[in-house]
Amino acid sequence: MREIVIVGGGYAGFYTAWGLEKKLRPGEARVTVVDPRPYMTYQPFLPEVAAGSVEARHAAVSLRRHLRRTQLIAGRVTDIRHADRAVTVRPADGPERTLSYDILVVTAGAVTRTFPVPGVAQEAIGLKHVEEAVAVRDRLMTALDQAAALPPGPERRKLLTVTFVGGGFSGVEGFGELLSLGTALLKRYPELSFEKLSFHLVEARDRILPEVSDGPGAWVVRSLRRRGAQVHLGTQLVSARGGHVVLSSGEEFDSGLIVWTAGNASNPVVRNHTDLPVDARGLLMVRADLRVGTDSEPTPDVWAAGDDASVPDLASPVPGARTVPNAQHAVRQGKLLARNIVASLRGGRIRDYRHSSLGVVATLGLGRGIFQYKGIVVKGLPAWLMHRGYHVLAIPTWERKVRVLAVWVTAAVFGRDLVSLASVQHPRDAFVTGDRSQYPAAELPVSGSEAA
């Protein structure tokens, strides 16, 4: 059998493997997916996970549940050597191993782009994975609990200050949803007032949401400011040491929660650890049919899609345009990849990728949104309903669709589930504290090995 190795189980990787399972004949090829996580993250739901509108587990699609005939390896690919038809895999535990392949699919996905800003590595948290979204939500709710027990002053002000860095879709959606959550939570805290809650959105460009035109983008800024947020355009983060935010505009303030959403960068293994052709941005050079290489110099038996692939945008009127790295393209590229790989195995027709945008839609908090398709712009509640409708249809598998819908219906009847579980990040604290409280230090029980 042919060995097909898929590097990455995100949108493009999951849909490629899912499609291959449906199309391959028994014994025709064996598919292996390598990813450090056992699930595909549906990233458009992460802002709502952070706001408590979607359960964290419902934004994750289990690979083992839905890829039943695919071999899954929990590990990270650290090196790709197509000259040897081999990839190096580093599992969570144990030594590295080498996988050989006949056909390689690279869908490793992008990583969060960072800059050497002092304090960011120590203080900030991203919004690219389910764990990060849950941590953002729990930190905000825990901060409100702590602030309610403090007298007015610098410590309380810091706890009630939230800063998002990055004004793309991920940043604006996360910012709007968390602002909505914070405003709703204040009703439960008579000790706190809305004026004390401080939300800052920092964007280096002079506008946010580059995927929409100037008018809708400016409306979003006005909408956020009307809700009490501070939007800093044309401003960069200079320092975040100790949670003390310093902006290029000269403004300074302490922030208890800093969320970094300043774009994506190519995966390090694609950028630095492969002999496959990459462009100046560190993205794989990909043909219109999703094969790696150029029209004049194709790389045999290697395919790529998603955020790490520089795919020609045949639907764009701009010569040389490339598809933007978003879920809409990654899903459709993954589906076409499966069809093209099967066609290549059977000597069939391989098709080029062409997809015209269906428009862009963003949530700005509960009951608020923005949608644009060419010259058509929808704002407010209708756009928010369109956002929910589109994504509940787009998330893979009926099982996930039903679970998400059930949570939304429950929240519509009973409201948000306002419970912080920040303590799960340190699950042994209660056990250790309770153990110490039962025994004086000199009388703590010891295990058999310690007694020996």
Side-chain angles (χ1 to χ4, degrees):
M1 286 195 297
R2 293 289 191 93
E3 295 287 346
I4 303 174
V5 173
I6 301 175
V7 179
Y11 291 118
F14 173 81
Y15 275 96
T16 300
W18 207 22
L20 287 172
E21 283 198 350
K22 297 174 182 177
K23 299 177 184 303
L24 288 172
R25 303 185 187 110
E28 189 172 12
R30 180 164 43 225
V31 181
T32 301
V33 173
V34 183
D35 196 282
R37 289 179 168 82
Y39 55 82
M40 183 208 83
T41 302
Y42 191 73
Q43 292 183 1
F45 277 157
L46 293 186
E48 293 200 64
V49 171
S53 299
V54 171
E55 286 294 328
R57 287 184 177 86
H58 299 169
V61 179
S62 170
L63 298 181
R64 291 194 178 274
R65 175 167 185 161
H66 300 290
L67 301 180
R68 299 177 182 176
R69 292 186 288 115
T70 298
Q71 180 184 11
L72 300 173
I73 298 178
R76 191 179 303 277
V77 171
T78 59
D79 191 68
I80 299 173
R81 285 290 167 260
H82 186 58
D84 303 322
R85 299 288 178 115
V87 297
T88 303
V89 179
R90 180 181 298 158
D93 295 304
E96 289 187 342
R97 57 184 291 193
T98 300
L99 292 181
S100 299
Y101 62 82
D102 297 298
I103 298 172
L104 179 67
V105 180
V106 183
T107 55
V111 297
T112 301
R113 180 179 61 182
T114 57
F115 300 97
V117 178
V120 165
Q122 295 75 28
E123 302 294 335
I125 185 169
L127 194 57
K128 196 170 182 62
H129 301 289
V130 171
E131 303 92 333
E132 294 173 323
V134 172
V136 166
R137 175 175 180 260
D138 287 344
R139 287 189 186 186
L140 175 64
M141 299 180 72
T142 301
L144 288 171
D145 284 333
Q146 295 171 344
L150 291 174
E155 288 186 49
R156 177 192 264 194
R157 263 198 313 275
K158 180 177 181 178
L159 289 168
L160 296 178
T161 301
V162 177
T163 304
F164 271 67
V165 183
F169 256 81
S170 177
V172 171
E173 287 192 311
F175 184 78
E177 286 287 348
L178 216 63
L179 176 61
S180 179
L181 173 62
T183 305
L185 283 172
L186 283 178
K187 299 174 183 177
R188 311 289 181 179
Y189 294 89
E191 307 91 338
L192 305 175
S193 63
F194 178 75
E195 292 74 20
K196 302 300 181 183
L197 194 62
S198 183
F199 272 74
H200 297 262
L201 177 62
V202 181
E203 169 53 47
R205 292 165 294 190
D206 60 358
R207 53 161 301 176
I208 61 174
L209 295 177
E211 294 86 350
V212 304
S213 56
D214 291 345
W219 177 85
V220 173
V221 172
R222 293 194 301 271
S223 173
L224 292 173
R225 285 173 172 165
R226 282 196 300 268
R227 293 163 61 187
Q230 300 183 54
V231 182
H232 308 266
L233 299 178
T235 306
Q236 297 180 2
L237 178 66
V238 175
S239 175
R241 282 198 181 101
H244 182 71
V245 173
V246 180
L247 304 180
S248 60
S249 61
E251 188 172 354
E252 300 183 25
F253 51 87
D254 290 330
S255 182
L257 176 59
I258 301 173
V259 184
W260 183 273
T261 59
N264 295 327
S266 61
N267 195 293
V269 70
V270 172
R271 188 173 63 246
N272 301 320
H273 302 287
T274 179
D275 58 356
L276 298 173
V278 296
D279 63 13
R281 297 177 296 165
L283 302 177
L284 286 170
M285 298 173 65
V286 178
R287 296 157 37 122
D289 58 8
L290 303 181
R291 285 184 281 195
V292 171
T294 63
D295 291 336
S296 59
E297 295 184 35
T299 302
D301 299 322
V302 186
W303 308 74
D307 292 353
D308 279 319
S310 180
V311 181
D313 189 352
L314 301 184
S316 172
V318 180
R322 301 284 166 171
T323 58
V324 296
N326 61 22
Q328 197 174 128
H329 283 299
V331 169
R332 286 163 177 79
Q333 288 170 5
K335 292 178 178 179
L336 178 63
L337 251 179
R339 295 196 296 270
N340 278 352
I341 291 173
V342 172
S344 71
L345 290 173
R346 300 173 184 170
R349 178 185 175 188
I350 296 175
R351 301 178 182 274
D352 289 344
Y353 176 74
R354 180 189 295 270
H355 171 66
S356 298
S357 173
L358 300 175
V360 292
V361 62
T363 174
L364 304 174
L366 198 61
R368 300 177 175 90
I370 181 79
F371 167 82
Q372 181 176 14
Y373 175 69
K374 297 181 179 180
I376 302 172
V377 178
V378 180
K379 305 172 184 176
L381 179 61
W384 178 76
L385 293 173
M386 293 170 70
H387 175 274
R388 287 205 159 182
Y390 172 79
H391 285 299
V392 80
L393 291 174
I395 191 170
T397 79
W398 280 103
E399 171 253 342
R400 276 294 177 263
K401 299 179 197 295
V402 172
R403 289 182 187 274
V404 171
L405 276 172
V407 171
W408 282 344
V409 170
T410 303
V413 176
F414 299 106
R416 300 176 192 260
D417 190 354
L418 304 179
V419 177
S420 170
L421 295 177
S423 58
V424 300
Q425 298 174 39
H426 307 281
R428 294 189 68 251
D429 285 358
F431 172 76
V432 173
T433 301
D435 191 43
R436 287 174 178 168
S437 66
Q438 294 180 58
Y439 303 96
E443 299 177 11
L444 281 175
V446 295
S447 65
S449 60
E450 290 173 331

